[in-house]
Amino acid sequence: MKKHFLPLFGLLLLLPALAACGKYDYTVHISDERSDIFCAETETYTLTVSCVSREYPYLCDGVAAQKSDLLEAVLREKTPTGGEYELYFTGEKVTGGEMSFRSVTGDYFYSRSAERFPEGSLPLTVVKDGVSEDLVLTSVRTENTLTVHEALTKAVEAERETVEKMTVGGQFCGEFHVRLLRRDKNYYYVGFVDKQGNILALLLDSETGEPLARRQSP
């Protein structure tokens, strides 16, 4: 008994040190992420559908809660017509409904839960004032686009000092917003949110993870 006790006791003493050598998983602190964007354009409007995983209720409180997967569609008319739009996802089963006009942003919005996110392309039917149009939206992602988790890793590496200030007793005390963006090309937005709701925002190159801009608020 004595002979086996000492090696076992020594191993138990080493366990905390071995655990400390493991890499901290910052992805568990993501409360809002946009992993893909699908786009299409016609003569009269542009349409985007985003793949979103977001906590509910959505709060900037530095605490990441359980997330739900959503597909969020935004339709923007090139010339406002005041028309009514419906949107239908026409994959394995047809789901959809009426889009809501948002007066603040001047666009039409529709959201639904997602059992799984599409990949590559997304077939949809848009109905305006009873007239339907079939579209196939294409993902903005390329083979070189970082994943949400890879983008977060790059942001954490670039903001080591910030992360250390937000870490207490080896535990990160905050949450992350990580969103793929599409402008002239793809970017990533990464927000570091502390318990007071203060946000440090980074704009990253979507392929290299290089920080392109940094902003602190308030």
Side-chain angles (χ1 to χ4, degrees):
M1 290 291 295
K2 201 171 185 182
K3 192 168 162 189
H4 296 287
F5 175 76
L6 286 175
L8 178 60
F9 182 69
L11 179 59
L12 290 173
L13 288 176
L14 280 173
L15 283 178
L18 291 172
C21 295
K23 204 167 182 181
Y24 190 91
D25 184 11
Y26 289 99
T27 62
V28 300
H29 299 285
I30 299 176
S31 63
D32 181 27
E33 63 180 270
R34 183 192 297 140
S35 56
D36 205 347
I37 304 170
F38 292 80
C39 300
E41 183 174 0
T42 71
E43 292 182 357
T44 57
Y45 59 80
T46 61
L47 178 63
T48 62
V49 175
S50 300
C51 299
V52 175
S53 295
R54 182 181 298 125
E55 67 177 4
Y56 183 83
Y58 180 52
L59 301 170
C60 283
D61 58 0
V63 179
Q66 185 174 354
K67 300 194 296 291
S68 299
D69 292 340
L70 304 167
L71 289 172
E72 296 185 341
V74 177
L75 185 150
R76 293 184 176 88
E77 291 185 310
K78 295 180 179 179
T79 301
T81 65
E84 295 183 354
Y85 286 91
E86 299 168 50
L87 183 69
Y88 296 95
F89 294 81
T90 56
E92 297 176 359
K93 57 181 180 179
V94 178
T95 57
E98 185 177 348
M99 303 189 79
S100 300
F101 180 73
R102 303 188 295 187
S103 57
V104 174
T105 51
D107 56 28
Y108 295 82
F109 180 78
Y110 179 82
S111 176
R112 52 154 282 198
S113 61
E115 295 179 4
R116 59 176 179 152
F117 289 137
E119 296 181 8
S121 62
L122 176 62
L124 292 175
T125 296
V126 176
V127 181
K128 180 189 178 184
D129 299 330
V131 179
S132 64
E133 181 175 20
D134 294 329
L135 299 172
V136 176
L137 283 68
T138 304
S139 169
V140 302
R141 295 186 62 87
T142 71
E143 59 183 12
N144 297 320
T145 304
L146 298 175
T147 65
V148 164
H149 292 180
E150 289 170 340
L152 178 59
T153 297
K154 294 290 187 180
V156 168
E157 290 173 353
E159 289 290 335
R160 271 293 165 197
E161 186 175 339
T162 299
V163 171
E164 288 174 6
K165 290 178 180 177
M166 296 174 67
T167 301
V168 180
Q171 179 73 19
F172 181 75
C173 298
E175 63 181 321
F176 296 105
H177 302 162
V178 187
R179 304 175 191 136
L180 182 65
L181 305 176
R182 180 66 181 179
R183 299 294 183 265
D184 56 319
K185 62 177 186 176
N186 292 344
Y187 299 92
Y188 265 107
Y189 164 90
V190 180
F192 297 67
V193 186
D194 66 19
K195 293 294 181 68
Q196 288 73 47
N198 300 311
I199 302 176
L200 168 65
L202 295 182
L203 184 68
L204 307 182
D205 183 288
S206 68
E207 296 184 358
T208 66
E210 177 188 357
L212 304 174
R214 183 182 192 273
R215 185 179 65 187
Q216 184 89 45
S217 64

